[in-house]
Amino acid sequence: MKAVLTMWKNTRMIILVSVCAAIYGAALIAFKTAIPLIPGITEVRVANIFPMVFGLLFGPAGAWGSAIGNLIGDTFGGTLGPGSIAGFVGNFLLSYLPYTMWMTFVPFAEKSREWNSASWRCWVNYILISFISSASCAVVISIFVDALGIVPYTILTKLITLNNTFASWIGVILLISVFGVTKHQLGLFWVDVMDESDIGPPMAGTIGAWVVTVGSVVGFLGGSITGLPTTTVGWICACAIIIGSLLL
């Protein structure tokens, strides 16, 4: 979590935020009305191949870039509203959780922050974290939108989770294609850009990763496994996801 704040004193990281926000925002605007799922709320988000890749490549810059890019997409795509606040937080998590959970999601965690196509653990880690980050994004957005009386939590959670998960899985092709260039030729892999002292260790990484995981899975399934009202489950899980994220 420390890097989320300290990155703002690093000029190259700030530039990466701008680049990520511009790419993500432009892609969202381009496909905003292509295949709407719930008009004015969500659509088939082709652009969501980017957030997880941005997070793994650019760390906190990718997280801020995805959050700001989503706000840009809402603003110029005609869907700006109260739900955009939750969208900002949700899309931040969509990029934040991949890079913070990459080395803390025990027993699947990698020992290195780098992508390695030859490692089966990398692939398992990617697939699982794709779903967890997507579900976390969905829970946070859906419970807020439900509270506004716009779309029921149960419906929106499933749509956003599946939409984001499949897009993130496709995004691995992009990650494989650009990781080597980003790290070795451009020197923009976030760990190389930031000082280790500015990154800092997580407060309680493994605990945080599993709190987020439980919150996202239970939130995705809703009241079907708890017997509690769905919205109650949603609020509890959203709080758990935020708390777990702070521990990462």
Side-chain angles (χ1 to χ4, degrees):
M1 174 56 75
K2 180 181 179 181
V4 167
L5 302 177
T6 58
M7 64 135 280
W8 290 105
K9 65 181 184 180
N10 188 310
T11 303
R12 286 194 293 170
M13 291 295 282
I14 294 173
I15 293 173
L16 286 173
V17 171
S18 302
V19 172
C20 291
I23 293 173
Y24 191 38
L28 285 171
I29 294 168
F31 294 98
K32 180 65 74 171
T33 58
I35 310 177
L37 296 176
I38 300 177
I41 300 297
T42 191
E43 63 284 332
V44 174
R45 291 169 65 102
V46 179
N48 274 35
I49 64 171
F50 292 113
M52 184 160 181
V53 175
F54 284 164
L56 293 176
L57 288 176
F58 308 125
W64 285 113
S66 295
I68 296 170
N70 187 75
L71 194 59
I72 292 172
D74 283 356
T75 301
F76 294 97
T79 56
L80 184 66
S84 298
I85 299 172
F88 184 94
V89 177
N91 279 269
F92 180 91
L93 293 175
L94 198 54
S95 283
Y96 171 79
L97 292 174
Y99 82 85
T100 53
M101 291 181 65
W102 194 252
M103 294 179 63
T104 59
F105 189 36
V106 177
F108 310 103
E110 274 288 301
K111 294 182 179 180
S112 168
R113 293 187 176 98
E114 298 181 22
W115 171 262
N116 179 9
S117 296
S119 169
W120 66 268
R121 192 180 292 275
C122 255
W123 286 96
V124 172
N125 214 21
Y126 187 97
I127 291 170
L128 293 177
I129 293 175
S130 295
F131 172 75
I132 294 165
S133 59
S134 296
S136 295
C137 171
V139 170
V140 170
I141 293 175
S142 300
I143 195 61
F144 188 80
V145 171
D146 180 273
L148 294 174
I150 301 174
V151 182
Y153 172 85
T154 304
I155 296 174
L156 191 57
T157 308
K158 306 300 186 296
L159 285 177
I160 294 177
T161 300
L162 297 177
N163 202 350
N164 290 354
T165 299
F166 289 132
S168 294
W169 287 348
I170 295 172
V172 74
I173 300 172
L174 176 63
L175 178 64
I176 294 171
S177 301
V178 304
F179 182 82
V181 174
T182 300
K183 177 173 173 59
H184 301 296
Q185 296 181 32
L186 300 178
L188 292 177
F189 185 48
W190 74 280
V191 179
D192 299 332
V193 175
M194 294 187 69
D195 294 332
E196 190 63 37
S197 60
D198 288 332
I199 297 174
M203 293 176 61
T206 301
I207 294 174
W210 278 101
V211 169
V212 169
T213 299
V214 173
S216 62
V217 172
V218 175
F220 173 73
L221 296 174
S224 60
I225 62 172
T226 64
L228 295 172
T230 302
T231 52
T232 301
V233 173
W235 281 114
I236 292 173
C237 290
C239 290
I241 289 167
I242 298 300
I243 292 171
S245 298
L246 293 173
L247 295 176
L248 288 168

